Amino acid sequence: PPLHLNFGAEADFNLGIPLTQFIGANVLMRIGKYTYKGKNYGKSYTGDFVVRPYAGLKYAINSNVSVQTSVITELGKEEVVGPETLIGVTLELKVSF
């Protein structure tokens, strides 16, 4: 299987209230040769990119507890991300000690 290299960036927009908007993107790079539907892809070791942009909101209940929701999608070659466009929604409860 190919190797994976992941990196990303996020920007938070503080509104001066407990609600924070954020946007970001994660980038995945597959390095190496692999097959898809019986055909050989990744014929060189230069890699294929997938970009996963996302946007969301975080509400701070207090300094240790927050609720966060976001929407994410994937962009890239069909051999890497699949034939259908992914749109995901997350809802998270974050607790720090």
Side-chain angles (χ1 to χ4, degrees):
L3 299 173
H4 296 262
L5 174 65
N6 292 301
F7 52 96
E10 182 176 297
D12 293 346
F13 303 97
N14 190 339
L15 302 174
I17 57 175
L19 189 64
T20 303
Q21 300 173 348
F22 61 89
I23 59 170
N26 294 317
V27 177
L28 165 73
M29 181 177 179
R30 286 189 174 175
I31 303 170
K33 297 182 180 187
Y34 58 95
T35 59
Y36 174 72
K37 292 187 177 182
K39 295 181 182 178
N40 187 23
Y41 290 91
K43 294 178 178 141
S44 70
Y45 289 96
T46 57
D48 291 314
F49 283 97
V50 174
V51 179
R52 294 181 177 141
Y54 60 90
L57 295 169
K58 179 170 62 173
Y59 179 76
I61 297 169
N62 60 39
S63 61
N64 294 338
V65 179
S66 64
V67 177
Q68 177 174 311
T69 186
S70 62
V71 176
I72 188 168
T73 190
E74 283 188 333
L75 306 169
K77 288 185 176 180
E78 181 180 344
E79 300 89 42
V80 182
V81 299
E84 298 178 10
T85 302
L86 166 79
I87 297 176
V89 178
T90 64
L91 178 62
E92 303 175 48
L93 174 66
K94 296 190 173 192
V95 180
S96 60
F97 298 94

